[in-house]
Amino acid sequence: MDYSISTHCLHSDPLATVLDTLAPYTDYVEIMDDGPHLLTDAELLHSYTYTYSIHAPSRGVNLASVLEPIRRAAVEVIRDTFSIAVEVDAPVVIHPGYIAWEYERELAGKNLRASLAQIRSDATDYGVTYFIENMGNWGYFYLKTPDDIDLLDGALFCLDVGHANECSVLPEFLEVPFSHIHLHDNDGKHDSHSAIGTGNIDFDAVMTKVRENRVCHPVIEVETLEGALESISALEERGYV
């Protein structure tokens, strides 16, 4: 099994430096398209032979905003990501958005559906594959539990096992078909993005489902490069190669 490494593990470094650093360890990279790694074009990515996926900007993006100008701008950010992704044949991971106040949930859910409908249309226009990712236990985010899966209206799902574990719903999420996955560990209380084997996640159960769902390049999304390499070693030692 070939593992992808997220640039999240070196997110304070310039992206070119990170891509140089990862080259000895993997042919597959997921770009954390935010902060220092924010993409404005595909020129740098073309300089390498990696197979990419792209995690779309998320910290300042809210597809469920009840403020229509902000919702439209969030969709535009995703569209811009698609325009870069298509140049390097990369699928895109997207966060589903959040609500500011619990009493806005119905309207925000309606707006999220409208955003995802436009994103689906844009993805078709660009010929880009995308996935919607489940969230950790952060305020009023959507998709913290499988109860929100219907909001995705059939969009492909990215399972983040650390987020699911933090929300105490990993076994339930493992029963939801997924097409992409983020692997990292934690203690079930904090979204620490720790190395695999240092928390309490049952990765035998996780990797069984990875194989069942035929996910070819699971993404190691941990805080440090050392942790990423330790994670790959831990999975290989368990026979997941």
Side-chain angles (χ1 to χ4, degrees):
M1 185 176 293
D2 294 315
Y3 295 97
S4 175
I5 298 178
S6 169
T7 65
H8 178 71
C9 69
L10 291 166
H11 205 233
S12 62
D13 294 342
L15 182 56
T17 300
V18 177
L19 295 177
D20 287 339
T21 301
L22 294 179
Y25 306 113
T26 184
D27 294 323
Y28 305 92
V29 167
E30 182 158 293
I31 306 295
M32 184 65 72
D33 184 14
D34 234 329
H37 299 177
L38 185 67
L39 298 170
T40 57
D41 56 53
E43 182 177 358
L44 177 62
L45 304 187
H46 282 305
S47 302
Y48 298 84
T49 59
Y50 290 115
T51 298
Y52 295 105
S53 56
I54 298 175
H55 191 304
S58 60
R59 293 299 178 98
V61 174
N62 184 9
L63 295 173
S65 178
V66 299
L67 303 174
E68 186 61 15
I70 293 176
R71 187 196 70 80
R72 290 197 305 268
V75 172
E76 185 176 346
V77 169
I78 304 302
R79 184 183 303 118
D80 289 344
T81 304
F82 287 167
S83 72
I84 296 170
V86 70
E87 292 194 41
V88 291
D89 194 26
V92 176
V93 179
I94 300 169
H95 280 192
Y98 56 92
I99 58 176
W101 303 95
E102 182 62 34
Y103 59 76
E104 295 176 342
R105 179 171 293 276
E106 182 176 355
L107 176 57
K110 178 181 177 181
N111 285 2
L112 176 58
R113 288 183 185 275
S115 296
L116 293 180
Q118 183 60 57
I119 286 169
R120 184 181 303 110
S121 176
D122 292 340
T124 299
D125 290 344
Y126 281 103
V128 170
T129 299
Y130 67 96
F131 318 100
I132 310 299
E133 177 184 352
N134 62 298
M135 295 289 92
N137 194 23
W138 312 329
Y140 295 124
F141 272 89
Y142 284 101
L143 204 57
K144 292 194 292 186
T145 76
D147 292 341
D148 283 344
I149 283 290
D150 287 347
L151 282 172
L152 305 190
D153 289 338
L156 297 177
F157 177 50
C158 168
L159 173 60
D160 187 299
V161 298
H163 294 170
N165 193 55
E166 184 191 11
C167 293
S168 302
V169 289
L170 180 55
E172 292 84 350
F173 264 126
L174 286 174
E175 297 307 313
V176 177
F178 56 88
S179 302
H180 194 73
I181 192 165
H182 290 160
L183 301 177
H184 51 100
D185 214 339
N186 62 48
D187 62 3
K189 299 177 182 179
H190 305 98
D191 183 32
S192 57
H193 285 257
S194 301
I196 289 170
T198 62
N200 62 13
I201 293 177
D202 179 0
F203 277 94
D204 288 327
V206 170
M207 297 309 292
T208 295
K209 289 297 184 178
V210 166
R211 286 176 167 171
E212 288 181 7
N213 285 277
R214 299 181 179 180
V215 178
C216 297
H217 309 300
V219 178
I220 307 297
E221 191 183 83
V222 302
E223 287 285 347
T224 66
L225 176 59
E226 293 78 10
L229 300 180
E230 290 171 10
S231 296
I232 293 173
S233 294
L235 291 170
E236 290 178 342
E237 288 171 3
R238 299 182 188 199
Y240 301 112
V241 296

